[in-house]
């Protein structure tokens, strides 16, 4: 059994779908179901019983301990995090609490659980921590891409809190021997992403005929990674990664933000043309965010060489799949927009912490 924190979020929810498409091993999801946690994302697996959901905070030590004692997972996949840079600027405390204190809580309970195991079970246990390339800071145009040995230089409360969690994971391995793995990924996009993020925000604004706000001059560069490619990378690192190692996961798609929006507009022009004009007519430049990192880029050679992982999607193919998904999933989008997704657990299972657990 796998224990997934944040498994009702964007990347975690996609991992649930990806894993259960090819594995019989069940999943227990621990998710606080904050604004970005959506149980409807994994509803089919909750209803089939192949996944179960416990609604709780990763900082709730008693609940975390109880999950380890009840389910005795062979691995923890730690997706749970506050992850939106703009929100971290306005409310950094929640990011420190979830990303740092929450990770500490999980590490301590995982260490206790691992200590209770013996033989093959103890040898097989893994704690896989899912992190971000933002911990490395910002790159200039000619700088080499982030490698696993790049010094940390986080520039936002979000990235600083994730850097802190990375350091805790490393320390729990080196101090206590906990068998950990860490992945640092580039910008993810794909199905089920909460619409405050760039790509879903632009898709939905465009379909509504609203402005498409682009920060600053739009020249900020990100390395874009299709979320299902990321999920496959995580699955492979879990199976083949060397204990204590970090693996950078990138899509080999460095694209300026303005080019992302332009490509998205062209894709929508093809798949759902506007009655009048082009979607690119809606692009509007807005004041840049404070401390906006200029460029991120991932060097994925280590995961390619050691694990054998390669992204399956180009940016164009991944973006086309993403746009098509948003065009075909009105019910999921409507539930997010009107807030009804927040009541899904109560409607399906009645009030309480757990669904199917």
């Amino acid at each position: 059994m796998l224990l997934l924190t944040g498994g009702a979020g964007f990347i975690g929810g996609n991992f649930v779908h990806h894993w259960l498409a090819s594995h019989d091993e069940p999943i227990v999801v621990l998710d606080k179901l904050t604004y970005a946690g959506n149980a409807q994302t994994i509803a089919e697996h909750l209803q089939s019983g192949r996944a179960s959901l416990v609604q709780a905070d990763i900082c709730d030590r008693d609940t975390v301990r109880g999950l380890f004692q009840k389910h005795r997972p062979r691995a923890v996949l730690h997706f749970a995090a506050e992850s939106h840079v703009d929100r971290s600027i306005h409310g950094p405390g929640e990011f420190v609490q979830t990303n740092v204190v929450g990770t500490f809580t999980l590490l301590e309970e995982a260490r206790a659980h691992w200590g209770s195991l013996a033989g093959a079970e103890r040898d097989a246990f893994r704690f896989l921590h899912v992190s971000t390339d933002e911990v490395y800071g910002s790159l200039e145009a000619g700088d080499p891409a982030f490698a696993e040995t790049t010094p940390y230089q986080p520039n936002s409360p979000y990235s600083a809190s994730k850097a802190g969690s990375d350091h805790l994971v490393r320390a729990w391995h080196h101090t206590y021997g906990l068998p950990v793995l860490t992945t640092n990924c580039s910008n993810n996009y794909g199905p089920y992403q909460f619409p405050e993020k760039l790509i879903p925000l632009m898709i939905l604004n465009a379909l509504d005929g609203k402005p498409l706000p682009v920060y600053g001059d739009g020249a900020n560069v990100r390395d874009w990674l299709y979320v299902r490619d990321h999920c496959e990378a995580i699955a492979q690192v879990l199976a083949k990664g060397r204990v204590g190692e970090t693996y950078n996961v990138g899509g080999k798609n460095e694209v300026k933000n303005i080019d992302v929006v332009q490509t998205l507009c062209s894709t929508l022009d093809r798949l759902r043309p506007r009655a009048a004009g082009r979607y690119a007519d809606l692009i509007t430049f807005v004041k840049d965010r404070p401390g906006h990192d200029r460029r991120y880029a991932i060097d994925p050679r280590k995961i390619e060489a050691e694990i054998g992982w390669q992204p399956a999607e180009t940016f164009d193919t991944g973006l086309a799949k993403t746009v098509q998904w948003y065009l075909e999933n009105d019910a999921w989008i409507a539930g997010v927009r009107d807030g009804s997704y927040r009541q899904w657990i109560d409607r399906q299972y009645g009030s309480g912490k757990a669904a199917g657990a």
Side-chain angles (χ1 to χ4, degrees), residues 12 78 137 154 174 184 191 220 246 285 309-310 320 329-330:
H78 179 29
H174 285 274
N184 292 83
N220 300 77
T246 294
F285 292 93
W309 172 87
Q310 290 267 3
N329 286 271
D330 291 339

Side-chain angles (χ1 to χ4, degrees), residues 14-84:
N14 273 283
F15 185 87
V16 171
H17 287 288
H18 184 78
W19 182 263
L20 294 178
S22 57
H23 296 80
D24 293 328
E25 186 174 18
I27 290 172
V28 173
V29 170
L30 172 61
D31 200 299
K32 190 178 179 180
L33 296 183
T34 61
Y35 76 95
N38 188 345
Q40 287 180 288
T41 294
I42 56 173
E44 64 183 275
H45 302 300
L46 297 178
Q47 291 163 342
S48 73
R50 301 185 69 204
S52 57
L53 172 65
V54 176
Q55 183 180 357
D57 193 329
I58 58 172
C59 296
D60 181 348
R61 196 156 186 167
D62 290 340
T63 296
V64 173
R65 181 178 300 131
L67 288 174
F68 277 109
Q69 292 173 348
K70 178 179 179 179
H71 297 287
R72 299 185 65 78
R74 74 168 180 93
V76 177
L77 278 71
H78 179 29
F79 293 92
E82 295 285 349
S83 64
H84 193 244

Side-chain angles (χ1 to χ4, degrees), residues 85-333:
V85 174
D86 288 349
R87 286 179 182 265
S88 80
I89 292 169
H90 298 292
E94 292 182 13
F95 286 71
V96 173
Q97 184 67 19
T98 297
N99 298 349
V100 179
V101 178
T103 299
F104 162 74
T105 301
L106 285 168
L107 286 167
E108 280 292 85
E109 292 306 319
R111 182 164 71 96
H113 168 67
W114 176 63
S116 73
L117 303 175
E121 276 191 320
R122 180 181 173 91
D123 293 340
F125 181 78
R126 297 291 184 268
F127 185 105
L128 195 159
H129 175 57
V130 181
S131 192
T132 172
D133 59 358
E134 296 191 41
V135 298
Y136 299 121
S138 183
L139 295 170
E140 296 301 325
D143 290 343
F146 298 134
E148 290 79 2
T149 54
T150 300
Y152 277 30
Q153 292 183 317
N155 292 321
S156 71
Y158 160 59
S159 57
S161 66
K162 287 297 290 184
S165 68
D166 291 8
H167 291 319
L168 288 174
V169 171
R170 176 184 171 85
W172 259 242
H173 170 65
H174 285 274
T175 302
Y176 304 112
L178 185 69
V180 306
L181 299 157
T182 297
T183 58
N184 292 83
C185 68
S186 56
N187 275 38
N188 279 222
Y189 68 99
Y192 302 109
Q193 190 169 27
F194 197 77
E196 69 183 0
K197 300 292 188 173
L198 178 66
I199 287 177
L201 175 66
M202 295 299 167
I203 294 171
L204 299 183
N205 275 17
L207 293 173
D208 289 343
K210 295 179 179 178
L212 306 181
V214 176
Y215 278 130
D217 60 4
N220 300 77
V221 174
R222 298 295 180 262
D223 179 2
W224 291 93
L225 174 65
Y226 187 62
V227 66
R228 293 299 174 92
D229 281 339
H230 185 199
C231 292
E232 177 59 21
I234 291 169
Q236 290 192 31
V237 169
L238 179 64
K240 297 184 281 187
R242 289 188 293 134
V243 168
E245 292 294 316
T246 294
Y247 296 92
N248 282 355
V249 186
K252 297 183 177 179
N253 294 304
E254 284 190 57
V255 187
K256 294 179 181 178
N257 285 350
I258 186 60
D259 293 335
V260 170
V261 179
Q262 293 278 13
T263 303
L264 191 153
C265 289
S266 298
T267 304
L268 282 170
D269 285 335
R270 176 169 51 85
L271 296 176
R272 186 170 292 182
R274 292 184 72 197
R278 297 162 54 250
Y279 286 103
D281 298 337
L282 301 172
I283 294 174
T284 304
F285 292 93
V286 299
K287 182 181 178 182
D288 208 354
R289 75 156 58 117
H292 197 181
D293 288 340
R294 195 63 173 172
R295 171 178 168 247
Y296 302 147
I298 283 282
D299 179 351
R301 284 180 292 179
K302 180 177 177 179
I303 192 172
E304 290 174 353
E306 291 193 14
I307 307 296
W309 172 87
Q310 290 267 3
E313 304 292 342
T314 66
F315 184 66
D316 287 342
T317 62
L319 189 64
K321 288 183 177 182
T322 301
V323 172
Q324 192 66 50
W325 186 90
Y326 279 93
L327 293 175
E328 294 174 352
N329 286 271
D330 291 339
W332 186 89
I333 294 165

